[in-house]
Amino acid sequence: MSNSFDDIPFFDEEPEPAPRRQQVPSDRQQPTQSGPLGGSQGGLGIAARAMAARDGARPAADYLSGLNPEQREAVETIDGPVLVLAGAGTGKTRVLTTRIAHILETGRAWPSQILAVTFTNKAAREMKERIGVLVGGAVEGMPWLGTFHSIGVKILRRHAELVGLRSDFTILDTDDVVRLIKQLIQAENLDDKRWPAKQFAGMIDGWKNKGLLPPDIPEGDARAFANGKGRELYAAYQARLRTLNACDFGDLLLHPITIFRKTPDLLKEYHQKFRYILVDEYQDTNTAQYMWLRLLAQRPKDVPQNVCCVGDDDQSIYGWRGAEVDNILRFEKDFHGAKVIKLERNYRSTEHILGAAGHLIAHNEGRLGKTLFTDRVDPDDEKVIVHAAWDSEEEARAVGEEIERLQRGDGDGKKHALNDMAILVRASFQMREFEDRFVTLGLNYRVIGGPRFYERLEIRDAMAYFRLVCQPADDLAFERIVNTPKRGLGDTTIRYLHDSARARDVPMLQAASEMVETDELKPKARKALFDVVQNFRNWQERLERTEHTELAEQILEESGYTDMWKNDKSAEAPGRLDNLKELIRSMEAFESMRGFLEHVSLVMDAEQNENLDAVSIMTLHSAKGLEFETVFLPGWEEGLFPHQRALDEGGRSGLEEERRLAYVGITRAKRRCHIWFVSNRRIHGLWQSTLPSRFLEELPQSHVDVAASDSSNYGGYGGRGGYGQSRFDKAEPFANSYSTPGWKRAQANKTDATRDNWGNRSGHAVERIGYGESGPRGRTIDGELVAKSVADTPSKFSIGDRVFHIKFGNGNVAGIEGNKLTIEFDRAGQKRVLDGFVEKA
DNA sequence: ACCAGACACTTTTTT
DNA sequence: AGTGTCTGGT
């Protein structure tokens, strides 16, 4: 097949304007102006009230009645381009879902004629649910609601042959991509140390985000890698993907773009199909997504372009992975006659939180400018509280205490659920300290993000087996498992197999099945390979007639893969077996193995246990879109937040993105927001003394309190003043508050409170500037639980006891100090736990 | 095939 | 510092 990429102009000029023909083609499926509900078609599940509402002078449909005027305008402005600038907590998702419901209920389109795009599966899922509630459960009727990628796959599967693929192509994940590139680098006789595959994978990703195919990449980029072979390597990669009948994530967007450009008729069909287009989180779109969207959204003059993009330039935090805030800024230019609607009424947070966040973000220059406000007035609302700690360990301890305090209800007499609290960190290494602390406290927590289920070794191995059964051309899967478990097929054999497969341009599995008929291999290798080939033949045969979960189990059994882990005596092995069982279990929800594989490649997340009451720990990035009653923001220090690298590499715009991240963090909070900074932090192993973040100085004094933490060394923070005055002098920069009575009190306190660095340290005494409260309140002793039970009862456990812990499973007691047990867990390794959290097994 | 020691890497992450 | 990956030796 010829290289179908070579002759496609990609980034030069505007594509041909979209179809010129009149809208409203005579598609059978087309609703008339009176709407799809006018007739007696059933099965849409749209509530009957819609029909009543449509006729004559109707009262506002009840789904509209709860909206404020701006939201309502955003929902009801159906024809023509609309940009909704929706600040944090202003009801963005509500607008989006209500708008879809409105389109459906007024009979302007069938569910299948609405294209609604999100970035994450989670957002897509949530939208589906909420539309279902509004419209009465017709969620299956919205086949084109999904992520950019899942919609991309859907389109691509229909027209794969136009870009040289078969419709059963495989979607490779990052790991596969890196392995593939590594092979290519080695094939070029390049030093794979000097030119790391991972780095090149990143470059390709970057190019694809910009919509660039090999001919389009800038000279400089092409030269910068692999002794100037960057472009060739990229082209070789694309070619290799095609022979593997595979795609990477970028291709899921790029291929459809290519297809639309080279087959205008097809694009026309999509134009007719998608009468309404909606995009969520528009500030996060990258160039490729933007191109894709424009191709689909463009309409001839005089035909309304029914595009609605919703976004918030202040929450654009993905510039580093190719998002172009410009897309949002130039919306009005791209779509003529666009109506821009701002949503600024916030329903989430207190005025203090909004005030703090708003004042901070006002320091950014490149923004469209919104100011969030709320009607909520409650003198009991807490200000944002800034805390200082000596080091990250103390920070974790203090946060833990605050959490327990809220949980007990000491503060306001209300007991707070752990589910309502979150710790949002800048970088994931910060999480560890909190986890350690919470383990010791026996405080439930859950980490959001981080290493994912489907990325685990054993899961990826198992998936490789399944992939190869479904898609015998998947050489990457073949290479992954051909010698896993060990079958005596070493590097030499595999390399030989690989080379001869490439030479004859056939998949490796096929090459292997031919090779075992010859004498090319040594008898031992030949036998081993023969067995592998036989196995795959068997499994492929069973694919159509065996229940897929059953087949999956058989594959793992017969291949010896489960045995491999059963025989493995390492600590992780039992956990891995559990994960494999979990994998099979999760397949039950799918109709076929293929369906399951598709799901996994697009939806990498596995759902969390929602029933457990636990504090959430996550990065600021993954917190976007979420909200919590109480939010803890640790690590506000120069170098960490704003991150040094963002500053070094991104300059001013890097700093502004960090500031937006801070803004996102604060605006996650509904009622309480605690910010922490430490004076000493260990970075890459060495202790460094750190300066408080400049963002602290950018917070307005009127909405912020300073907490006095008595054990800390403030290191002359207030006097340092190294950042110059902010542009917001008249609003009293935060730095000034360090000369307030509260601050001085804190300074004075530290002398007598630091005397005991461990046991008797008081937690946080919160000094409320402006509320005139009477100084530090109820002091929480660190490890209160410890103190209590040590005095009362000797531990009921003894060394060697077999115990069970709800999170870590079974283990043996290895040590006892008071009521703190050191336990050697079968799966989780050694942990220190309070004895109240384990029971005798 | 397996292990030990060297070496590298250390912001954010979805799909 | 700590972890994970890769190489080179046995």
Side-chain angles (χ1 to χ4, degrees):
Chain A
M1 205 154 297
S2 73
N3 187 333
S4 45
F5 288 95
D6 290 347
D7 49 349
I8 297 164
F10 227 80
F11 214 42
D12 36 21
E13 49 196 306
E14 297 301 288
E16 272 296 292
R20 249 150 273 242
R21 81 152 128 151
Q22 282 295 315
Q23 209 201 8
V24 190
S26 53
D27 188 351
R28 294 164 255 117
Q29 272 235 315
Q30 211 70 19
T32 59
Q33 231 11 63
S34 70
L37 308 169
S40 57
Q41 293 106 322
L44 270 172
I46 294 179
R49 65 184 140 81
M51 297 197 210
R54 214 180 40 258
D55 304 319
R58 50 179 184 183
D62 55 358
Y63 59 86
L64 292 176
S65 59
L67 302 175
N68 68 37
E70 296 76 31
Q71 290 176 326
R72 189 151 172 178
E73 191 185 6
V75 166
E76 291 190 307
T77 312
I78 296 280
D79 295 312
V82 179
L83 174 65
V84 182
L85 293 171
T90 56
K92 178 192 67 149
T93 311
R94 178 154 193 211
V95 163
L96 225 33
T97 51
T98 312
R99 187 181 163 96
I100 291 174
H102 190 59
I103 292 170
L104 293 174
E105 302 234 343
T106 53
R108 285 162 203 260
W110 294 95
S112 65
Q113 292 173 318
I114 298 174
L115 172 66
V117 211
T118 64
F119 272 80
T120 63
N121 291 297
K122 203 175 148 207
R125 223 178 301 137
E126 200 179 307
M127 264 175 75
K128 277 192 182 166
E129 272 165 32
R130 289 176 66 167
I131 293 168
V133 170
L134 284 172
V135 138
V139 180
E140 331 77 56
M142 291 236 14
W144 298 99
L145 190 170
T147 62
F148 275 99
H149 292 85
S150 66
I151 290 168
V153 184
K154 205 161 179 170
I155 293 173
L156 191 52
R157 293 242 186 254
R158 300 181 163 195
H159 318 292
E161 72 288 348
L162 294 174
V163 286
L165 293 170
R166 280 179 278 117
S167 73
D168 64 343
F169 60 81
T170 313
I171 302 161
L172 302 184
D173 64 27
T174 332
D175 203 79
D176 293 319
V177 167
V178 171
R179 286 192 301 139
L180 179 59
I181 291 174
K182 189 164 183 181
Q183 288 178 3
L184 291 169
I185 289 175
Q186 286 165 345
E188 288 284 326
N189 278 323
L190 292 160
D191 180 2
D192 62 337
K193 275 284 168 50
R194 173 131 182 253
W195 308 108
K198 222 173 158 186
Q199 192 191 337
F200 195 64
M203 291 175 75
I204 291 183
D205 197 50
W207 292 324
K208 291 192 172 179
N209 284 159
K210 291 197 171 85
L212 303 175
L213 285 168
D216 314 312
I217 62 172
E219 244 350 89
D221 281 16
R223 255 176 250 260
F225 198 84
N227 298 328
K229 290 188 183 167
R231 192 192 307 276
E232 287 85 335
L233 214 50
Y234 182 12
Y237 169 73
Q238 288 302 122
R240 187 87 181 93
L241 285 181
R242 212 163 309 125
T243 49
L244 287 171
N245 192 31
C247 262
D248 63 16
F249 284 121
D251 287 341
L252 299 180
L253 284 168
L254 278 191
H255 284 327
I257 291 174
T258 308
I259 289 168
F260 291 153
R261 292 210 163 156
K262 77 175 190 184
T263 24
D265 288 349
L266 198 65
L267 180 59
K268 257 185 228 171
E269 282 176 32
Y270 281 100
H271 282 164
Q272 285 156 22
K273 179 161 192 60
F274 299 137
R275 305 187 78 191
Y276 294 92
I277 299 178
L278 298 96
V279 186
D280 192 16
E281 305 279 15
Y282 190 59
Q283 77 283 351
D284 288 337
T285 47
N286 62 36
T287 306
Q289 285 157 337
Y290 168 80
M291 286 160 61
W292 184 92
L293 195 66
R294 274 197 67 179
L295 281 166
L296 285 170
Q298 267 166 349
R299 293 293 186 277
K301 278 211 176 69
D302 309 327
V303 175
Q305 308 186 81
N306 298 327
V307 199
C308 174
C309 294
V310 181
D312 180 0
D313 52 318
D314 289 333
Q315 292 188 68
S316 161
I317 53 174
Y318 286 111
W320 52 275
R321 65 175 200 213
E324 291 281 344
V325 206
D326 270 7
N327 293 346
I328 210 172
L329 305 176
R330 66 198 236 200
F331 186 86
E332 290 178 86
K333 268 189 233 138
D334 291 333
F335 297 101
H336 287 291
K339 185 174 247 179
V340 179
I341 298 166
K342 281 188 191 183
L343 302 183
E344 298 175 289
R345 180 184 297 267
N346 177 290
Y347 296 97
R348 179 185 294 155
S349 312
T350 66
E351 55 168 327
H352 293 308
I353 288 163
L354 294 180
H359 195 266
L360 174 81
I361 198 67
H363 289 73
N364 272 2
E365 278 173 3
R367 62 193 290 261
L368 294 168
K370 294 184 294 327
T371 308
L372 299 181
F373 65 94
T374 178
D375 290 341
R376 179 197 172 87
V377 180
D378 185 344
D380 287 342
D381 282 344
E382 268 178 35
K383 293 187 176 186
V384 170
I385 304 174
V386 175
H387 305 251
W390 170 249
D391 62 11
S392 50
E393 195 190 332
E394 188 195 289
E395 181 183 56
R397 208 179 309 142
V399 169
E401 277 163 19
E402 182 67 27
I403 289 171
E404 292 189 316
R405 202 174 66 93
L406 287 164
Q407 196 183 18
R408 283 193 305 267
D410 299 8
D412 50 10
K414 270 184 269 167
K415 290 186 191 288
H416 298 273
L418 296 179
N419 277 336
D420 292 333
M421 304 178 212
I423 298 168
L424 312 181
V425 298
R426 171 67 247 258
S428 41
F429 74 83
Q430 291 173 262
M431 293 180 181
R432 216 184 127 164
E433 209 102 38
F434 290 98
E435 292 193 57
D436 285 354
R437 183 65 193 156
F438 295 168
V439 167
T440 333
L441 290 175
L443 197 66
N444 289 330
Y445 67 89
R446 89 184 108 226
V447 172
I448 309 220
R452 275 171 288 193
F453 184 72
Y454 293 114
E455 281 168 9
R456 289 164 209 227
L457 178 86
E458 66 278 13
I459 301 301
R460 296 182 47 79
D461 285 342
M463 297 292 297
Y465 274 101
F466 305 155
R467 270 164 59 184
L468 194 55
V469 170
C470 293
Q471 230 271 77
D474 194 337
D475 284 3
L476 288 162
F478 179 88
E479 286 182 79
R480 184 176 181 103
I481 48 78
V482 67
N483 198 32
T484 311
K486 299 270 185 284
R487 303 185 172 96
L489 294 164
D491 285 349
T492 342
T493 318
I494 293 170
R495 172 118 346 130
Y496 181 74
L497 188 54
H498 181 261
D499 291 347
S500 60
R502 294 296 309 284
R504 282 184 291 154
D505 205 22
V506 297
M508 287 174 77
L509 184 58
Q510 190 188 328
S513 74
E514 290 164 12
M515 197 177 288
V516 293
E517 305 296 332
T518 71
D519 292 326
E520 287 169 78
L521 299 174
K522 292 192 182 128
K524 213 178 135 198
R526 184 176 160 182
K527 174 72 174 73
L529 195 57
F530 179 81
D531 290 345
V532 173
V533 169
Q534 265 316 116
N535 271 334
F536 274 98
R537 275 196 197 129
N538 284 333
W539 297 328
Q540 274 156 21
E541 258 170 51
R542 281 180 238 164
L543 185 57
E544 302 305 329
R545 31 189 197 83
T546 314
E547 186 63 31
H548 64 288
T549 49
E550 204 175 309
L551 177 61
E553 266 176 275
Q554 290 169 4
I555 291 173
L556 296 182
E557 283 298 325
E558 293 168 20
S559 62
Y561 192 73
T562 11
D563 285 339
M564 175 180 107
W565 289 116
K566 281 182 189 154
N567 296 331
D568 188 309
K569 288 184 289 292
S570 67
E572 314 91 69
R576 296 193 195 270
L577 286 165
D578 284 351
N579 288 337
L580 291 172
K581 279 193 200 119
E582 179 61 37
L583 179 72
I584 307 268
R585 211 173 309 138
S586 64
M587 285 177 83
E588 284 167 13
F590 295 83
E591 285 196 353
S592 67
M593 193 171 272
R594 281 207 166 85
F596 177 69
L597 292 177
E598 174 108 340
H599 168 83
V600 171
S601 55
L602 290 172
V603 184
M604 293 295 281
D605 56 347
E607 67 290 348
Q608 297 252 354
N609 179 7
E610 297 291 327
N611 299 323
L612 183 74
D613 186 37
V615 185
S616 299
I617 306 178
M618 68 189 100
T619 63
L620 287 160
H621 283 89
S622 38
K624 195 169 72 159
L626 306 177
E627 58 178 31
F628 299 90
E629 292 284 310
T630 306
V631 162
F632 298 92
L633 303 169
W636 282 43
E637 298 120 39
E638 284 294 302
L640 177 60
F641 194 30
H643 199 280
Q644 192 57 46
R645 234 166 113 174
L647 263 30
D648 293 346
E649 288 167 18
R652 173 171 195 96
S653 68
L655 173 63
E656 295 208 341
E657 184 154 313
E658 295 288 289
R659 198 177 276 117
R660 290 193 291 269
L661 202 47
Y663 174 80
V664 167
I666 297 172
T667 55
R668 295 312 93 197
K670 288 153 101 171
R671 306 297 304 272
R672 281 169 295 275
C673 177
H674 295 260
I675 300 175
W676 253 273
F677 69 91
V678 305
S679 359
N680 296 281
R681 191 176 288 277
R682 203 166 36 188
I683 299 166
H684 309 328
L686 12 121
W687 284 97
Q688 303 210 305
S689 72
T690 49
L691 298 176
S693 169
R694 69 191 76 186
F695 298 150
L696 291 171
E697 294 182 31
E698 295 172 356
L699 297 173
Q701 191 187 352
S702 49
H703 295 295
V704 175
D705 280 341
V706 177
S709 172
D710 51 5
S711 75
S712 287
N713 178 341
Y714 300 109
Y717 165 42
R720 225 180 277 260
Y723 314 114
Q725 290 294 62
S726 81
R727 292 178 283 120
F728 294 82
D729 286 341
K730 56 175 178 258
E732 298 212 80
F734 186 65
N736 287 356
S737 57
Y738 293 93
S739 52
T740 59
W743 184 255
K744 285 183 178 148
R745 173 101 134 257
Q747 293 275 344
N749 272 353
K750 77 183 182 195
T751 2
D752 61 341
T754 25
R755 71 193 112 98
D756 180 351
N757 205 22
W758 269 89
N760 253 350
R761 238 176 12 76
S762 69
H764 32 255
V766 178
E767 181 79 20
R768 283 148 190 263
I769 302 162
Y771 280 102
E773 282 201 15
S774 52
R777 41 164 113 185
R779 298 200 155 195
T780 323
I781 305 301
D782 175 47
E784 188 181 9
L785 288 161
V786 181
K788 239 189 279 166
S789 50
V790 165
D792 294 353
T793 37
S795 180
K796 59 178 177 174
F797 296 99
S798 42
I799 291 181
D801 279 359
R802 187 76 180 153
V803 294
F804 175 79
H805 184 275
I806 193 156
K807 286 182 83 78
F808 303 123
N810 290 313
N812 296 314
V813 177
I816 302 171
E817 302 159 52
N819 65 342
K820 275 188 192 163
L821 308 176
T822 304
I823 296 172
E824 198 64 57
F825 286 105
D826 300 348
R827 259 186 263 153
Q830 196 184 71
K831 303 269 182 206
R832 294 224 307 165
V833 209
L834 288 188
D835 64 0
F837 294 91
V838 295
E839 55 195 51
K840 287 201 165 119

